[in-house]
Amino acid sequence: MGIELELHSGRPARRGSSRVTLLRGSYRHGEALARALSRLDRQGPGKLGWVDPYGDTLFNEQEAQAAGKEVAALAKGCDDERQRVALLDLAELLEACAATPGSYLWFMGD
C-alpha cells in the first residue's frame, strides 16, 4: 500500500493524459505516507482523513490550505523519520496547491 502525489494546474484527467496539467510529483514516500495518514480518523473533522490509501483523492486549493494545518500537527507528533519526511513533502505540495489558483493535489493510492 502506498500513496503517490501529483500537483496539477487544473483538474487532472483520470483517464487519458493527466501529464498536460502536471506541475510536480512526489513518488518516493508512498508507503511511509500511507502509514502516517492511516493514523487519522476517517470520520473525523479534518480533510486529511478523506484520503483513501486504496483509491484516488483530489484536493482543490481550498482543501489543500485547510489540510496544510493538519499535516503540520501530524508531523510534530510523528516519531518515525520516514513518515516525518513524507509528511514534510506532503506539506510542501499542499502549500504549493493552496498558492496556485485552480490547482489540484492528487493522492493516488494503491
Side-chain angles (χ1 to χ4, degrees):
M1 175 176 70
I3 300 173
E4 296 179 335
L5 302 169
E6 286 186 352
L7 176 63
H8 289 263
S9 60
R11 188 174 188 89
R14 291 183 191 261
R15 299 185 196 276
S17 179
S18 63
R19 299 290 173 217
V20 173
T21 58
L22 181 64
L23 297 173
R24 189 166 112 196
S26 175
Y27 311 105
R28 66 182 185 266
H29 304 295
E31 289 182 37
L33 182 58
R35 282 195 315 274
L37 294 179
S38 71
R39 299 182 313 180
L40 296 171
D41 179 5
R42 292 191 50 92
Q43 304 304 318
K47 300 290 183 194
L48 286 177
W50 294 1
V51 176
D52 180 1
Y54 302 104
D56 294 344
T57 307
L58 285 175
F59 279 10
N60 64 26
E61 65 214 62
Q62 293 85 10
E63 292 162 337
Q65 184 175 21
K69 298 171 186 147
E70 296 171 45
V71 78
L74 191 59
K76 283 182 185 177
C78 186
D79 58 359
D80 180 295
E81 186 61 26
R82 290 184 64 215
Q83 290 180 24
R84 188 176 9 264
V85 170
L87 289 169
L88 292 175
D89 196 34
L90 171 59
E92 288 178 19
L93 285 168
L94 287 167
E95 185 177 320
C97 183
T100 307
S103 66
Y104 284 85
L105 185 58
W106 191 359
F107 295 79
M108 297 175 291
D110 61 14

